[in-house]
């Protein structure tokens, strides 16, 4: 069934077309009475009138979070939980070292049709532009994780602004395109109300996490796949935001989170949860 707006627009289109045809016929019929000069002027004026659109164009709707208030509703907060009562969770992955586990992660996300948001440092984007484009091409969102992953408390205000701005430019220069989101994640998750206000002033909402799997520590740091899975499931609740990593530090190639992801996704489904895209916070 057509919507009322489309039906009304088409009735209006038909009426205007019939009116134009009728006027044209009358002008041609009275050409001898009016004279060629006046008739030509009137016909030219009629031809310059804009043609009606075939369908009514809806006015653009403002972005809205799940609470209906738009991106600004996320300002002033760390946003460690999505505001929902549904069994929904969001997956996020940080990248600052290497991309050792990326292919495995993207393959599993695609197999499960699960969206994710990847928070990349600008330095990582500069070193791995092909990775940035690969993530974007896979349909996932890209967030800002600063340029060099410093401790923000040790920087001046200008230094913090520079970290955010240069990371954003690096993502765009690498070919992130429309995958870039207005989301920022503080290095080491070290936030403060003042620093969040600074980030908000630059147009970014701070998105942290409910729980980190700690897979980034690797076996050298006492982590195993079982422990990473347990940490993710222990934090499970409506609106939980899980943090994982796509690479390993200090030249290591073992990525526990990449190995844990299939089990995490399987357990989420078994418990009645679905994975949502953080970008849904920006849509009505």
């Amino acid at each position: 069934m057509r919507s009322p707006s489309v039906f009304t627009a088409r009735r209006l289109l038909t009426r205007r077309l019939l009116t134009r045809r009728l006027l044209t016929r009358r002008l041609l019929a009275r050409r001898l009475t009016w004279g060629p000069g006046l008739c030509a002027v009137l016909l030219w004026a009629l031809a310059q009138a804009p043609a009606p659109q075939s369908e009514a164009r809806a006015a653009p709707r403002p972005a809205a979070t799940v609470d209906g208030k738009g991106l600004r509703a996320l300002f002033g907060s760390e946003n460690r939980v999505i505001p929902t009562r549904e069994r929904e969770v969001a997956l996020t992955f940080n990248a600052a070292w290497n991309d050792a586990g990326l292919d495995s992660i993207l393959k599993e996300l695609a197999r499960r049709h699960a969206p994710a948001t990847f928070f990349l440092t600008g330095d990582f984007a500069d070193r791995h532009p092909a990775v940035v484009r690969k993530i974007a091409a896979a349909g996932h969102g890209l967030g800002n994780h600063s340029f060099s992953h410093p401790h923000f408390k040790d920087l001046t205000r200008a230094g913090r602004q520079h970290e955010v701005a240069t990371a954003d430019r690096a993502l765009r220069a690498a070919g992130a395109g429309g995958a870039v989101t207005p989301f920022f994640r503080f290095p080491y998750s070290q936030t403060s109300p003042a620093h969040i206000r600074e980030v908000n002033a630059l147009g970014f909402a701070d998105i942290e996490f409910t729980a980190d799997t700690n897979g980034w520590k690797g076996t050298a740091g006492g982590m195993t796949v079982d422990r990473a899975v347990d940490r993710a499931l222990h934090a499970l609740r409506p609106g939980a935001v899980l943090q994982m990593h796509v690479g390993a530090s200090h030249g290591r190639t073992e990525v526990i989170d990449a190995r844990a992801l299939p089990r995490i996704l399987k357990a989420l489904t078994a418990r009645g949860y679905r994975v949502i895209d953080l970008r849904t916070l920006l849509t009505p």
Side-chain angles (χ1 to χ4, degrees):
M1 182 180 292
R2 297 188 181 94
S3 66
S5 61
V6 173
F7 180 73
T8 302
R10 289 185 175 175
R11 287 186 59 188
L12 181 60
L13 170 65
T14 303
R15 184 179 302 172
R16 288 182 179 178
L17 289 175
L18 290 175
T19 300
R20 291 183 65 184
R21 291 172 183 169
L22 179 61
L23 287 174
T24 302
R25 289 173 182 173
R26 288 178 178 177
L27 286 172
L28 292 174
R30 298 179 183 180
R31 180 173 180 177
L32 293 177
T33 304
W34 288 351
L38 179 58
C39 183
V41 171
L42 290 175
L43 285 172
W44 176 87
L46 184 60
Q48 303 308 307
Q53 299 296 317
S54 60
E55 291 189 6
R57 292 182 179 179
R61 292 183 294 179
T65 60
V66 287
D67 57 10
K69 297 181 180 179
L71 175 65
R72 298 186 70 85
L74 301 173
F75 287 2
S77 172
E78 292 180 324
N79 297 300
R80 293 187 177 275
V81 178
I82 299 170
T84 180
R85 296 179 181 176
E86 302 296 327
R87 290 195 171 191
E88 299 171 335
V89 297
L91 302 180
T92 66
F93 295 86
N94 292 359
W97 302 305
N98 56 41
D99 63 334
L102 181 70
D103 288 342
S104 175
I105 289 170
L106 290 180
K107 182 178 179 180
E108 184 63 20
L109 291 175
R111 189 176 76 85
R112 290 280 185 172
H113 304 288
T117 302
F118 291 76
F119 287 86
L120 313 183
T121 66
D123 174 65
F124 180 91
D126 278 349
R127 289 183 287 112
H128 303 286
V131 170
V132 175
R133 293 191 294 272
K134 183 183 293 187
I135 295 172
H140 302 293
L142 289 164
N144 188 321
H145 196 34
S146 80
F147 185 83
S148 61
H149 207 276
H151 292 276
F152 265 40
K153 62 182 178 62
D154 296 333
L155 303 178
T156 63
R157 179 173 182 173
R160 291 188 290 271
Q161 292 174 335
H162 180 73
E163 282 284 331
V164 178
T166 53
D168 183 67
R169 286 196 295 269
L171 287 171
R172 297 179 188 279
V180 176
T181 68
F183 299 147
F184 177 80
R185 174 169 286 169
F186 282 89
Y188 310 103
S189 195
Q190 292 179 344
T191 69
S192 76
H195 294 167
I196 289 175
R197 286 193 297 271
E198 291 174 0
V199 169
N200 294 162
L202 295 174
F204 292 87
D206 175 33
I207 303 292
E208 297 302 323
F209 50 88
T210 310
D212 187 331
T213 61
N214 280 353
W216 61 271
K217 292 183 177 181
T219 54
M223 284 302 298
T224 64
V225 173
D226 287 342
R227 289 178 178 176
V229 173
D230 288 344
R231 284 183 61 85
L233 299 183
H234 181 72
L236 201 56
R237 53 175 289 191
V241 180
L242 301 180
Q243 175 175 278
M244 290 171 275
H245 289 74
V246 303
S249 63
H250 309 303
R252 293 185 292 109
T253 57
E254 174 198 36
V255 183
I256 287 180
D257 285 332
R259 295 168 55 197
L261 182 61
R263 289 175 53 184
I264 292 174
L265 289 174
K266 182 178 180 180
L268 292 178
T269 301
R271 298 188 184 192
Y273 281 81
R274 72 185 185 97
V275 179
I276 65 169
D277 194 325
L278 278 176
R279 288 173 293 186
T280 59
L281 295 173
L282 306 175
T283 58

